[in-house]
Amino acid sequence: MISALAWVRKGVAAERPSRHEMTEEEYARLQTEAASEINDAKRELKQTTDTELLNDPALKDFDLEHYDSENSSDEEAQDGPHIFSNIKGLSFYADDEQDPLINNGEEDAELEAEEAEEERVFATDNLLLVAKTEDDISSIDMCVFDPESDSLFVHHDFMLPAFPLQVTWLDYRVGRKAQMEGSGNYVAVATFEPRIEIWDLDTLDAAYPDLVLGTMDKKALRKARGKPHKEFHTDAVMDMSWNKNVRNLLASSSADTTVKLWDLSTAVCVQSYEHHGDKVQAVQWHPSDSSVLLTGGYDKRVSVFDSRAPGAISWWKVDADVESVMWDVHSPNHFYVATDSGLVRYFDVRMGENSAPVFTLVAHDEAVSAMDQHPHMAGMLVTGSSDETVKVWDVRNKPSMVMSRNPDVGSVFSAKFCPDEPMLLAMGGSNGESKIWDMATTMQIRSVFGGAAVASVVVEEKPMVGIQNDEDKDDDPENTHEAVIAEMRGSGAQPNDDDSDSDESMDSD
């Protein structure tokens, strides 16, 4: 499944990414982690009786009951230093360069040149970050979209330790390249683990993130699991927001009910807020006021406050658990709130706390699990839902739905406009596919947002472009939006099978 998406700004990625070489410290870290996993496995094994092991159908073929009585003298004899002593004509080379089976000379050089050209990233490339989980293995794919050939392919990827909930692109240098001049190319990843990993997108084959925000102390986490802590998260990190005005600040919200501010230059939590009464699902910095935060949680409340004076908080009550919050970049005194009930509300912060929404969209029959606004065209709003539809809204005057479409990605978990080519919309969902929709070729959108001159020009609508990560679409009910949310809530709730059609409407207050 695709749980989160993020675009990378054009021209920031290194043209030729470097390959990571493991250091002695990383090798030592691998050994330590492996030893820790082995010890954990041994502890689990002690909890399983010998009888249970011997009766396990999967282990019967190994005849474990007579394992110690097997005669392994022949095998032991082969373990000595002369294992190849009876092989005639065996050649040894002091240097791999002299071995013709290893060194193919010009052939190897040509292959390396081809690989280097394939790894090249052009300044004109549109790069999309895709958080993917397949067969309980999670990763981040950096994909390249070529609008000329309408192709989307994976450039490189890296593995994650847990299911990813959110990804955020940032250009603030951290870790090994922290002292280098200029901006970087990084992705912050929030997962079910109580930590945030920040990876360098310009490095291939990296085994570890460049920076980790949060504690790696397992004992401290076990002791404080789920309880608010001043210095680190103790439960899943559900959302993040990078401060583009104060670039070393990253805000995060968590299932531990806290919102935290992280200083990327020191990897330290500089402030922790505990104003919500339940899991905090969403957080976002104000687009122009660099100290103001917008948050929403499972306590069915939304807050706006100055991070420098957290005691003065303005609250708004909504009807259901908050799915996402978003400042209106075209009118920064307003913000959107999407909820689990399928509604989208639009508030004016100047009206004061608990004021009625300016308008309410009855957007979907099920949870609004994705929401984004056009970065340049005021009033163009996109929502996605676990009802498997993506809808485009015109909210400039009297809000109304422009069109509804099923992008065939399953339950829609993420929908993001491209910042450099803003008529491109990326979508991802439960069936493991990410799709890109060129909305500039869709007649309904051209006629509403393009004006008479644009609408009069007839263009051929392009099909959506995507990569299917699995050969077969994943219909596993565990990949539905309700199941993921239920896991975060710690309940055993089952997915909702109600597939009834939606009647879109709008209420003005």
Side-chain angles (χ1 to χ4, degrees), residues 340-384:
D340 186 61
S341 62
L343 304 182
V344 174
R345 289 179 171 84
Y346 186 69
F347 291 96
D348 187 341
V349 72
R350 297 168 299 183
M351 300 299 292
E353 65 177 2
N354 288 321
S355 58
V358 177
F359 64 78
T360 299
L361 297 175
V362 183
H364 297 270
D365 282 346
E366 300 181 24
V368 182
S369 48
M371 180 172 63
D372 200 14
Q373 61 189 312
H374 196 283
H376 306 307
M377 192 177 297
M380 187 174 179
L381 180 72
V382 167
T383 59

Side-chain angles (χ1 to χ4, degrees), residues 272-284:
S272 181
Y273 309 100
E274 301 178 17
H275 54 292
H276 278 280
D278 205 334
K279 298 175 177 63
V280 189
Q281 169 70 14
V283 60
Q284 191 178 70

Side-chain angles (χ1 to χ4, degrees), residues 213-289:
L213 304 177
T215 183
M216 301 293 290
D217 188 337
K218 292 184 178 180
K219 290 183 179 179
L221 280 174
R222 281 196 293 266
K223 185 177 180 181
R225 188 71 182 182
K227 301 176 182 177
H229 194 283
K230 294 291 184 183
E231 298 178 3
F232 51 82
H233 285 304
T234 60
D235 209 332
V237 180
M238 305 176 80
D239 198 13
M240 301 172 293
S241 181
W242 174 51
N243 194 323
K244 297 178 179 62
N245 300 305
V246 185
R247 295 170 54 251
N248 65 309
L249 284 184
L250 181 76
S252 61
S253 61
S254 172
D256 65 12
T257 75
T258 70
V259 174
K260 286 180 166 48
L261 301 190
W262 302 89
D263 184 348
L264 297 176
S265 63
T266 61
V268 171
C269 174
V270 295
Q271 189 65 266
S272 181
Y273 309 100
E274 301 178 17
H275 54 292
H276 278 280
D278 205 334
K279 298 175 177 63
V280 189
Q281 169 70 14
V283 60
Q284 191 178 70
W285 288 104
H286 192 277
S288 56
D289 194 333

Side-chain angles (χ1 to χ4, degrees), residues 43-79:
R43 280 194 294 268
E44 291 179 6
L45 190 60
K46 286 182 180 179
Q47 298 173 1
T48 304
T49 64
D50 291 340
T51 304
E52 289 175 331
L53 283 174
L54 293 174
N55 294 331
D56 189 342
L59 299 176
K60 279 190 174 181
D61 292 341
F62 296 97
D63 193 19
L64 295 180
E65 191 172 2
H66 304 97
Y67 178 79
D68 291 334
S69 61
E70 289 182 2
N71 184 7
S72 58
S73 58
D74 294 338
E75 296 178 3
E76 291 175 358
Q78 292 183 357
D79 290 337

Side-chain angles (χ1 to χ4, degrees), residues 429-442:
S430 60
N431 72 3
E433 282 194 86
S434 52
K435 293 280 188 71
I436 294 182
W437 177 12
D438 187 351
M439 304 175 79
T441 64
T442 305

Side-chain angles (χ1 to χ4, degrees), residues 262-474:
W262 302 89
D263 184 348
L264 297 176
S265 63
T266 61
V268 171
C269 174
V270 295
Q271 189 65 266
S272 181
Y273 309 100
E274 301 178 17
H275 54 292
H276 278 280
D278 205 334
K279 298 175 177 63
V280 189
Q281 169 70 14
V283 60
Q284 191 178 70
W285 288 104
H286 192 277
S288 56
D289 194 333
S290 60
S291 62
V292 174
L293 278 168
L294 172 66
T295 65
Y298 286 172
D299 55 2
K300 301 178 176 62
R301 295 194 299 169
V302 177
S303 75
V304 173
F305 65 97
D306 191 318
S307 59
R308 299 168 299 182
I313 301 176
S314 297
W315 291 100
W316 285 263
K317 187 75 175 176
V318 292
D319 69 308
D321 295 344
V322 174
E323 287 287 330
S324 61
V325 295
M326 179 174 64
W327 290 103
D328 186 345
V329 295
H330 308 290
S331 180
N333 290 317
H334 297 83
F335 61 88
Y336 298 91
V337 181
T339 65
D340 186 61
S341 62
L343 304 182
V344 174
R345 289 179 171 84
Y346 186 69
F347 291 96
D348 187 341
V349 72
R350 297 168 299 183
M351 300 299 292
E353 65 177 2
N354 288 321
S355 58
V358 177
F359 64 78
T360 299
L361 297 175
V362 183
H364 297 270
D365 282 346
E366 300 181 24
V368 182
S369 48
M371 180 172 63
D372 200 14
Q373 61 189 312
H374 196 283
H376 306 307
M377 192 177 297
M380 187 174 179
L381 180 72
V382 167
T383 59
S385 171
S386 47
D387 65 11
E388 302 190 359
T389 64
V390 170
K391 297 181 180 181
V392 183
W393 304 85
D394 181 2
V395 297
R396 287 174 294 186
N397 296 310
K398 184 179 179 181
S400 60
M401 189 184 73
V402 176
M403 66 178 301
S404 176
R405 178 163 289 186
N406 185 339
D408 197 26
V409 298
S411 297
V412 182
F413 291 150
S414 187
K416 296 292 181 182
F417 280 106
C418 177
D420 299 297
E421 295 188 34
M423 294 310 290
L424 295 179
L425 181 72
M427 301 160 290
S430 60
N431 72 3
E433 282 194 86
S434 52
K435 293 280 188 71
I436 294 182
W437 177 12
D438 187 351
M439 304 175 79
T441 64
T442 305
M443 184 52 66
Q444 296 99 311
I445 295 174
R446 291 172 63 86
S447 61
V448 173
F449 295 102
V454 174
S456 62
V457 179
V458 179
V459 297
E460 183 180 354
E461 183 170 355
K462 292 183 178 181
M464 294 185 185
V465 179
I467 302 176
Q468 186 165 323
N469 296 306
D470 304 309
E471 289 186 7
D472 299 314
K473 293 180 182 179
D474 191 353

